[in-house]
Amino acid sequence: MTGNTTINYRRFFHELLEAIPWPILIVDRALSVSYYNQHAAHLLEAADPLKDLKLDQVIHDAAIIQLVQESIQTGSSQSREYDKGKAGLSWKVSVIPLGHRSYKTKTEQSPKSAGQSYHYFVIAIEDLSELRRLERVRRDFIANISHELRTPLASVRLLAETLEDAIDTDRENAQTFVEKIEIEVQYLTDLVSELLELSRIESGQVPMMIEPVRAEQLVRETMARMLPQAQRHRVVLRTDITQGETMVAADSKQIARVFVNLVHNAIKFTPSGGMIVIGTTPEVAGRTQRFFVRDTGIGIRPEELPRIFERFYKGDRARSKVDFIGPGGVGSGLGLAIARHVIEAHGGRITAESTVGQGSTFTFTLPVAVQSQ
Ligand code: ADP
């Protein structure tokens, strides 16, 4: 902006305001909107153009109007955060008097009278909703971890204290306490390794080794690994394979983990005598292959279904099969969260359907491998 270049200032400032990635409005002392950028029009869902409107026709929030009035009266910048109630919206609103003012006398230097001489006020709105949401997620995450760690640690301490009393006098019970401590320690170890795994997957540190794999092979390997566990818990495990020769693009180790985890859950939530079917079938004009784990277990309540893929979400413990892997079949609530990440990293989807009392079906899709010529 030096030298002889002639600048069209009107256009220059218009473009400048549009270039700022925040909603910006400019109002005069009478709260008439003199200028706004497209971000403001978008955020306020205001009909275009906003021009010649009063501020309260655009921002329907008395507290924000009050903030603007404070800035007009005091001639000073104001800034405050507002929770907009619905759907966790959070805005930081700043009002800045524009330094374009006319001094008439020296007495107008006092803050109040100085305020009188500002004609325009910039209102900048920062949408902090996403930031606040992430903060909430982080807080919940820490609260959940603390809870998950504290409960088994408290039992270990209690068991160790009881063991101390029993060790010389009641050797039989002492042995039981040692076993219980081992179960809790195992649970803690699993929890910590699942947490590490989830955070590594989430941060993209687990590279997927995608290779063409026969769909059938994934099902058969899961069957072989899980059959002993199913038999031990007296549920029938069967396969149902259609076009199993299809090659899918998968990291077979990661997919095997997901599959095993789904079957493990199915066994956990299916009473003795029930049946679990695992299988595969083609989908969407041969571009994706579907895999499923169907059980005749206790099912999942409709209000729980949308939440089961959240990390740490656990259904009512009392509903799982008694004595299944540790007391009350406790799990970390991380298994399905990990499964979702793995499947989505493959470009697939994982979903669940269920009817309480009849059973659940978990389905995931994988892309069919493109055969190189
Ligand atoms: P965990 O099994 O460690 O509790 P998951 O993330 O694997 O955690 O599962 C989350 C919740 O989803 C379980 O606590 C349970 O309530 C529900 N769930 C998962 N699979 C089934 C199933 N096959 N039948 C009934 N409920 C299930």
Side-chain angles (χ1 to χ4, degrees), residues 296-333:
T296 57
I298 58 170
I300 304 164
R301 287 189 285 250
E303 66 273 23
E304 286 189 298
L305 258 184
R307 302 204 53 199
I308 55 173
F309 292 98
E310 287 173 18
R311 44 187 191 188
F312 291 115
Y313 185 82
K314 287 191 259 187
D316 187 356
R317 239 187 234 198
R319 298 173 71 235
S320 66
K321 208 163 161 165
V322 191
D323 288 341
F324 184 90
I325 310 172
V330 285
S332 61

mmCIF file of all heavy atoms in Angstrom, residues 296-333:
data_model
loop_
_atom_site.group_PDB
_atom_site.id
_atom_site.type_symbol
_atom_site.label_atom_id
_atom_site.label_comp_id
_atom_site.label_asym_id
_atom_site.label_seq_id
_atom_site.Cartn_x
_atom_site.Cartn_y
_atom_site.Cartn_z
ATOM 1 N N THR A 296 -28.254 -65.839 19.356
ATOM 2 C CA THR A 296 -29.626 -65.964 19.870
ATOM 3 C C THR A 296 -29.612 -65.548 21.348
ATOM 4 O O THR A 296 -30.279 -66.151 22.181
ATOM 5 C CB THR A 296 -30.136 -67.414 19.745
ATOM 6 O OG1 THR A 296 -29.210 -68.259 20.458
ATOM 7 C CG2 THR A 296 -30.228 -67.864 18.299
ATOM 8 N N GLY A 297 -28.825 -64.517 21.641
ATOM 9 C CA GLY A 297 -28.621 -64.107 23.038
ATOM 10 C C GLY A 297 -29.681 -63.162 23.578
ATOM 11 O O GLY A 297 -30.785 -63.050 23.031
ATOM 12 N N ILE A 298 -29.281 -62.450 24.606
ATOM 13 C CA ILE A 298 -30.234 -61.609 25.355
ATOM 14 C C ILE A 298 -30.666 -60.359 24.582
ATOM 15 O O ILE A 298 -31.652 -59.735 24.904
ATOM 16 C CB ILE A 298 -29.630 -61.171 26.710
ATOM 17 C CG1 ILE A 298 -28.311 -60.407 26.477
ATOM 18 C CG2 ILE A 298 -29.417 -62.368 27.619
ATOM 19 C CD1 ILE A 298 -27.783 -59.734 27.718
ATOM 20 N N GLY A 299 -29.882 -59.989 23.563
ATOM 21 C CA GLY A 299 -30.247 -58.814 22.764
ATOM 22 C C GLY A 299 -29.796 -57.510 23.416
ATOM 23 O O GLY A 299 -29.271 -57.499 24.535
ATOM 24 N N ILE A 300 -30.011 -56.427 22.696
ATOM 25 C CA ILE A 300 -29.583 -55.091 23.153
ATOM 26 C C ILE A 300 -30.800 -54.184 23.095
ATOM 27 O O ILE A 300 -31.513 -54.159 22.084
ATOM 28 C CB ILE A 300 -28.463 -54.537 22.246
ATOM 29 C CG1 ILE A 300 -27.290 -55.529 22.204
ATOM 30 C CG2 ILE A 300 -27.992 -53.163 22.726
ATOM 31 C CD1 ILE A 300 -26.313 -55.290 21.077
ATOM 32 N N ARG A 301 -31.027 -53.440 24.154
ATOM 33 C CA ARG A 301 -32.213 -52.561 24.182
ATOM 34 C C ARG A 301 -32.060 -51.450 23.142
ATOM 35 O O ARG A 301 -30.942 -50.965 22.907
ATOM 36 C CB ARG A 301 -32.360 -51.941 25.573
ATOM 37 C CG ARG A 301 -32.836 -52.969 26.610
ATOM 38 C CD ARG A 301 -33.190 -52.285 27.900
ATOM 39 N NE ARG A 301 -31.991 -51.895 28.614
ATOM 40 C CZ ARG A 301 -31.583 -52.471 29.747
ATOM 41 N NH1 ARG A 301 -32.274 -53.445 30.281
ATOM 42 N NH2 ARG A 301 -30.497 -52.052 30.360
ATOM 43 N N PRO A 302 -33.188 -51.031 22.520
ATOM 44 C CA PRO A 302 -33.106 -50.026 21.447
ATOM 45 C C PRO A 302 -32.390 -48.751 21.894
ATOM 46 O O PRO A 302 -31.647 -48.164 21.122
ATOM 47 C CB PRO A 302 -34.578 -49.726 21.113
ATOM 48 C CG PRO A 302 -35.356 -50.859 21.668
ATOM 49 C CD PRO A 302 -34.568 -51.479 22.765
ATOM 50 N N GLU A 303 -32.565 -48.356 23.152
ATOM 51 C CA GLU A 303 -31.921 -47.114 23.607
ATOM 52 C C GLU A 303 -30.408 -47.278 23.776
ATOM 53 O O GLU A 303 -29.666 -46.308 23.805
ATOM 54 C CB GLU A 303 -32.589 -46.568 24.892
ATOM 55 C CG GLU A 303 -32.447 -47.429 26.137
ATOM 56 C CD GLU A 303 -33.552 -48.496 26.273
ATOM 57 O OE1 GLU A 303 -34.162 -48.867 25.252
ATOM 58 O OE2 GLU A 303 -33.779 -48.959 27.406
ATOM 59 N N GLU A 304 -29.961 -48.564 23.895
ATOM 60 C CA GLU A 304 -28.521 -48.798 24.052
ATOM 61 C C GLU A 304 -27.811 -48.918 22.707
ATOM 62 O O GLU A 304 -26.627 -48.620 22.595
ATOM 63 C CB GLU A 304 -28.287 -50.096 24.833
ATOM 64 C CG GLU A 304 -28.591 -49.996 26.309
ATOM 65 C CD GLU A 304 -28.118 -51.238 27.043
ATOM 66 O OE1 GLU A 304 -28.629 -52.336 26.737
ATOM 67 O OE2 GLU A 304 -27.221 -51.109 27.881
ATOM 68 N N LEU A 305 -28.568 -49.399 21.702
ATOM 69 C CA LEU A 305 -27.955 -49.702 20.399
ATOM 70 C C LEU A 305 -27.090 -48.579 19.827
ATOM 71 O O LEU A 305 -25.964 -48.827 19.384
ATOM 72 C CB LEU A 305 -29.043 -50.065 19.392
ATOM 73 C CG LEU A 305 -29.245 -51.536 19.069
ATOM 74 C CD1 LEU A 305 -30.284 -51.700 17.981
ATOM 75 C CD2 LEU A 305 -27.945 -52.211 18.637
ATOM 76 N N PRO A 306 -27.574 -47.305 19.826
ATOM 77 C CA PRO A 306 -26.733 -46.275 19.209
ATOM 78 C C PRO A 306 -25.455 -45.998 19.998
ATOM 79 O O PRO A 306 -24.566 -45.335 19.506
ATOM 80 C CB PRO A 306 -27.629 -45.022 19.226
ATOM 81 C CG PRO A 306 -28.980 -45.467 19.658
ATOM 82 C CD PRO A 306 -28.837 -46.781 20.336
ATOM 83 N N ARG A 307 -25.360 -46.508 21.230
ATOM 84 C CA ARG A 307 -24.217 -46.146 22.072
ATOM 85 C C ARG A 307 -23.144 -47.228 22.179
ATOM 86 O O ARG A 307 -22.043 -46.958 22.677
ATOM 87 C CB ARG A 307 -24.721 -45.811 23.483
ATOM 88 C CG ARG A 307 -25.747 -44.675 23.478
ATOM 89 C CD ARG A 307 -25.787 -43.990 24.790
ATOM 90 N NE ARG A 307 -24.459 -43.570 25.201
ATOM 91 C CZ ARG A 307 -24.140 -43.277 26.452
ATOM 92 N NH1 ARG A 307 -25.030 -43.360 27.388
ATOM 93 N NH2 ARG A 307 -22.919 -42.885 26.756
ATOM 94 N N ILE A 308 -23.434 -48.440 21.733
ATOM 95 C CA ILE A 308 -22.514 -49.538 22.042
ATOM 96 C C ILE A 308 -21.136 -49.405 21.387
ATOM 97 O O ILE A 308 -20.190 -50.002 21.854
ATOM 98 C CB ILE A 308 -23.128 -50.927 21.697
ATOM 99 C CG1 ILE A 308 -23.575 -50.948 20.252
ATOM 100 C CG2 ILE A 308 -24.259 -51.281 22.642
ATOM 101 C CD1 ILE A 308 -24.018 -52.327 19.800
ATOM 102 N N PHE A 309 -21.020 -48.588 20.321
ATOM 103 C CA PHE A 309 -19.702 -48.425 19.670
ATOM 104 C C PHE A 309 -18.885 -47.296 20.297
ATOM 105 O O PHE A 309 -17.766 -47.040 19.891
ATOM 106 C CB PHE A 309 -19.865 -48.185 18.171
ATOM 107 C CG PHE A 309 -20.397 -49.382 17.438
ATOM 108 C CD1 PHE A 309 -21.740 -49.485 17.131
ATOM 109 C CD2 PHE A 309 -19.552 -50.425 17.097
ATOM 110 C CE1 PHE A 309 -22.233 -50.611 16.474
ATOM 111 C CE2 PHE A 309 -20.033 -51.556 16.442
ATOM 112 C CZ PHE A 309 -21.378 -51.650 16.134
ATOM 113 N N GLU A 310 -19.487 -46.623 21.309
ATOM 114 C CA GLU A 310 -18.738 -45.562 21.998
ATOM 115 C C GLU A 310 -17.700 -46.211 22.900
ATOM 116 O O GLU A 310 -17.965 -47.262 23.484
ATOM 117 C CB GLU A 310 -19.670 -44.750 22.909
ATOM 118 C CG GLU A 310 -20.596 -43.843 22.188
ATOM 119 C CD GLU A 310 -21.600 -43.191 23.149
ATOM 120 O OE1 GLU A 310 -21.365 -43.180 24.375
ATOM 121 O OE2 GLU A 310 -22.621 -42.721 22.649
ATOM 122 N N ARG A 311 -16.547 -45.549 23.057
ATOM 123 C CA ARG A 311 -15.562 -46.162 23.941
ATOM 124 C C ARG A 311 -16.075 -46.094 25.377
ATOM 125 O O ARG A 311 -16.699 -45.122 25.775
ATOM 126 C CB ARG A 311 -14.186 -45.517 23.803
ATOM 127 C CG ARG A 311 -14.208 -44.034 23.740
ATOM 128 C CD ARG A 311 -12.838 -43.532 23.426
ATOM 129 N NE ARG A 311 -12.827 -42.086 23.621
ATOM 130 C CZ ARG A 311 -11.829 -41.335 23.298
ATOM 131 N NH1 ARG A 311 -10.756 -41.864 22.783
ATOM 132 N NH2 ARG A 311 -11.881 -40.050 23.504
ATOM 133 N N PHE A 312 -15.829 -47.133 26.115
ATOM 134 C CA PHE A 312 -16.218 -47.339 27.511
ATOM 135 C C PHE A 312 -17.690 -47.645 27.711
ATOM 136 O O PHE A 312 -18.119 -47.838 28.833
ATOM 137 C CB PHE A 312 -15.857 -46.134 28.397
ATOM 138 C CG PHE A 312 -14.386 -45.965 28.582
ATOM 139 C CD1 PHE A 312 -13.737 -44.848 28.093
ATOM 140 C CD2 PHE A 312 -13.649 -46.936 29.221
ATOM 141 C CE1 PHE A 312 -12.384 -44.696 28.251
ATOM 142 C CE2 PHE A 312 -12.287 -46.789 29.392
ATOM 143 C CZ PHE A 312 -11.647 -45.671 28.905
ATOM 144 N N TYR A 313 -18.474 -47.664 26.611
ATOM 145 C CA TYR A 313 -19.884 -47.959 26.855
ATOM 146 C C TYR A 313 -20.057 -49.433 27.167
ATOM 147 O O TYR A 313 -19.622 -50.304 26.422
ATOM 148 C CB TYR A 313 -20.776 -47.574 25.655
ATOM 149 C CG TYR A 313 -22.213 -47.794 26.032
ATOM 150 C CD1 TYR A 313 -22.896 -46.840 26.766
ATOM 151 C CD2 TYR A 313 -22.847 -48.997 25.750
ATOM 152 C CE1 TYR A 313 -24.194 -47.070 27.194
ATOM 153 C CE2 TYR A 313 -24.146 -49.232 26.178
ATOM 154 C CZ TYR A 313 -24.803 -48.272 26.892
ATOM 155 O OH TYR A 313 -26.085 -48.504 27.337
ATOM 156 N N LYS A 314 -20.697 -49.690 28.309
ATOM 157 C CA LYS A 314 -20.969 -51.077 28.701
ATOM 158 C C LYS A 314 -22.427 -51.188 29.058
ATOM 159 O O LYS A 314 -22.963 -50.324 29.749
ATOM 160 C CB LYS A 314 -20.167 -51.432 29.959
ATOM 161 C CG LYS A 314 -18.713 -51.605 29.713
ATOM 162 C CD LYS A 314 -18.055 -52.201 30.909
ATOM 163 C CE LYS A 314 -17.353 -51.139 31.704
ATOM 164 N NZ LYS A 314 -16.566 -51.673 32.787
ATOM 165 N N GLY A 315 -23.036 -52.235 28.607
ATOM 166 C CA GLY A 315 -24.425 -52.471 28.997
ATOM 167 C C GLY A 315 -24.450 -52.932 30.446
ATOM 168 O O GLY A 315 -23.404 -53.080 31.090
ATOM 169 N N ASP A 316 -25.631 -53.163 30.929
ATOM 170 C CA ASP A 316 -25.813 -53.633 32.298
ATOM 171 C C ASP A 316 -25.044 -54.941 32.493
ATOM 172 O O ASP A 316 -25.308 -55.935 31.829
ATOM 173 C CB ASP A 316 -27.320 -53.845 32.514
ATOM 174 C CG ASP A 316 -27.630 -54.168 33.951
ATOM 175 O OD1 ASP A 316 -26.663 -54.301 34.731
ATOM 176 O OD2 ASP A 316 -28.820 -54.280 34.278
ATOM 177 N N ARG A 317 -24.090 -54.920 33.430
ATOM 178 C CA ARG A 317 -23.249 -56.088 33.673
ATOM 179 C C ARG A 317 -24.048 -57.313 34.080
ATOM 180 O O ARG A 317 -23.743 -58.431 33.708
ATOM 181 C CB ARG A 317 -22.359 -55.765 34.860
ATOM 182 C CG ARG A 317 -20.924 -55.845 34.571
ATOM 183 C CD ARG A 317 -20.230 -55.663 35.858
ATOM 184 N NE ARG A 317 -19.269 -54.586 35.734
ATOM 185 C CZ ARG A 317 -18.287 -54.424 36.572
ATOM 186 N NH1 ARG A 317 -18.167 -55.211 37.609
ATOM 187 N NH2 ARG A 317 -17.431 -53.454 36.407
ATOM 188 N N ALA A 318 -25.109 -57.040 34.832
ATOM 189 C CA ALA A 318 -25.896 -58.155 35.361
ATOM 190 C C ALA A 318 -26.526 -58.971 34.236
ATOM 191 O O ALA A 318 -26.914 -60.110 34.434
ATOM 192 C CB ALA A 318 -26.981 -57.613 36.270
ATOM 193 N N ARG A 319 -26.594 -58.376 33.012
ATOM 194 C CA ARG A 319 -27.255 -59.080 31.922
ATOM 195 C C ARG A 319 -26.327 -60.077 31.229
ATOM 196 O O ARG A 319 -26.779 -60.918 30.464
ATOM 197 C CB ARG A 319 -27.799 -58.066 30.901
ATOM 198 C CG ARG A 319 -28.831 -57.138 31.511
ATOM 199 C CD ARG A 319 -29.225 -56.045 30.553
ATOM 200 N NE ARG A 319 -30.021 -56.551 29.452
ATOM 201 C CZ ARG A 319 -29.736 -56.386 28.175
ATOM 202 N NH1 ARG A 319 -28.652 -55.750 27.826
ATOM 203 N NH2 ARG A 319 -30.514 -56.855 27.251
ATOM 204 N N SER A 320 -25.009 -59.941 31.449
ATOM 205 C CA SER A 320 -24.117 -60.865 30.743
ATOM 206 C C SER A 320 -24.084 -62.213 31.464
ATOM 207 O O SER A 320 -24.494 -62.339 32.609
ATOM 208 C CB SER A 320 -22.712 -60.280 30.639
ATOM 209 O OG SER A 320 -22.153 -60.173 31.912
ATOM 210 N N LYS A 321 -23.566 -63.185 30.760
ATOM 211 C CA LYS A 321 -23.565 -64.548 31.265
ATOM 212 C C LYS A 321 -22.762 -64.629 32.574
ATOM 213 O O LYS A 321 -21.627 -64.147 32.639
ATOM 214 C CB LYS A 321 -22.889 -65.406 30.199
ATOM 215 C CG LYS A 321 -23.346 -66.805 30.194
ATOM 216 C CD LYS A 321 -22.951 -67.408 28.876
ATOM 217 C CE LYS A 321 -22.972 -68.900 28.992
ATOM 218 N NZ LYS A 321 -22.934 -69.535 27.695
ATOM 219 N N VAL A 322 -23.363 -65.220 33.566
ATOM 220 C CA VAL A 322 -22.690 -65.318 34.858
ATOM 221 C C VAL A 322 -21.398 -66.114 34.698
ATOM 222 O O VAL A 322 -21.339 -67.056 33.913
ATOM 223 C CB VAL A 322 -23.612 -66.033 35.873
ATOM 224 C CG1 VAL A 322 -23.058 -65.918 37.290
ATOM 225 C CG2 VAL A 322 -25.010 -65.481 35.795
ATOM 226 N N ASP A 323 -20.385 -65.711 35.428
ATOM 227 C CA ASP A 323 -19.110 -66.430 35.445
ATOM 228 C C ASP A 323 -18.366 -66.421 34.125
ATOM 229 O O ASP A 323 -17.489 -67.229 33.903
ATOM 230 C CB ASP A 323 -19.307 -67.907 35.841
ATOM 231 C CG ASP A 323 -19.632 -67.993 37.306
ATOM 232 O OD1 ASP A 323 -19.331 -67.005 38.004
ATOM 233 O OD2 ASP A 323 -20.182 -69.008 37.725
ATOM 234 N N PHE A 324 -18.745 -65.525 33.210
ATOM 235 C CA PHE A 324 -18.008 -65.501 31.951
ATOM 236 C C PHE A 324 -16.783 -64.612 32.110
ATOM 237 O O PHE A 324 -16.903 -63.414 32.307
ATOM 238 C CB PHE A 324 -18.872 -64.954 30.815
ATOM 239 C CG PHE A 324 -18.165 -65.008 29.490
ATOM 240 C CD1 PHE A 324 -18.275 -66.122 28.696
ATOM 241 C CD2 PHE A 324 -17.351 -63.968 29.092
ATOM 242 C CE1 PHE A 324 -17.594 -66.192 27.498
ATOM 243 C CE2 PHE A 324 -16.671 -64.028 27.896
ATOM 244 C CZ PHE A 324 -16.801 -65.138 27.097
ATOM 245 N N ILE A 325 -15.618 -65.184 31.994
ATOM 246 C CA ILE A 325 -14.350 -64.459 32.077
ATOM 247 C C ILE A 325 -14.388 -63.377 33.148
ATOM 248 O O ILE A 325 -14.694 -62.216 32.885
ATOM 249 C CB ILE A 325 -13.971 -63.839 30.724
ATOM 250 C CG1 ILE A 325 -14.082 -64.912 29.656
ATOM 251 C CG2 ILE A 325 -12.571 -63.267 30.750
ATOM 252 C CD1 ILE A 325 -13.913 -64.403 28.263
ATOM 253 N N GLY A 326 -14.079 -63.773 34.331
ATOM 254 C CA GLY A 326 -14.059 -62.805 35.426
ATOM 255 C C GLY A 326 -15.450 -62.623 35.991
ATOM 256 O O GLY A 326 -16.424 -63.096 35.417
ATOM 257 N N PRO A 327 -15.532 -61.944 37.116
ATOM 258 C CA PRO A 327 -16.803 -61.813 37.799
ATOM 259 C C PRO A 327 -17.814 -61.037 36.957
ATOM 260 O O PRO A 327 -17.532 -59.935 36.514
ATOM 261 C CB PRO A 327 -16.453 -61.043 39.069
ATOM 262 C CG PRO A 327 -15.030 -60.634 38.948
ATOM 263 C CD PRO A 327 -14.431 -61.256 37.746
ATOM 264 N N GLY A 328 -18.956 -61.655 36.704
ATOM 265 C CA GLY A 328 -20.045 -60.968 35.996
ATOM 266 C C GLY A 328 -19.724 -60.651 34.553
ATOM 267 O O GLY A 328 -20.388 -59.849 33.920
ATOM 268 N N GLY A 329 -18.712 -61.301 34.004
ATOM 269 C CA GLY A 329 -18.400 -61.080 32.592
ATOM 270 C C GLY A 329 -17.975 -59.666 32.294
ATOM 271 O O GLY A 329 -18.340 -59.102 31.278
ATOM 272 N N VAL A 330 -17.182 -59.053 33.176
ATOM 273 C CA VAL A 330 -16.809 -57.657 32.952
ATOM 274 C C VAL A 330 -15.969 -57.510 31.692
ATOM 275 O O VAL A 330 -15.138 -58.347 31.376
ATOM 276 C CB VAL A 330 -15.998 -57.048 34.127
ATOM 277 C CG1 VAL A 330 -16.880 -56.759 35.287
ATOM 278 C CG2 VAL A 330 -14.818 -57.901 34.483
ATOM 279 N N GLY A 331 -16.186 -56.451 31.004
ATOM 280 C CA GLY A 331 -15.338 -56.110 29.865
ATOM 281 C C GLY A 331 -14.939 -54.657 30.056
ATOM 282 O O GLY A 331 -15.386 -53.996 30.995
ATOM 283 N N SER A 332 -14.104 -54.181 29.152
ATOM 284 C CA SER A 332 -13.631 -52.804 29.299
ATOM 285 C C SER A 332 -14.575 -51.814 28.635
ATOM 286 O O SER A 332 -14.512 -50.628 28.874
ATOM 287 C CB SER A 332 -12.264 -52.686 28.655
ATOM 288 O OG SER A 332 -12.400 -52.994 27.280
ATOM 289 N N GLY A 333 -15.443 -52.307 27.763
ATOM 290 C CA GLY A 333 -16.300 -51.382 27.011
ATOM 291 C C GLY A 333 -15.546 -50.743 25.854
ATOM 292 O O GLY A 333 -15.996 -49.776 25.255
#
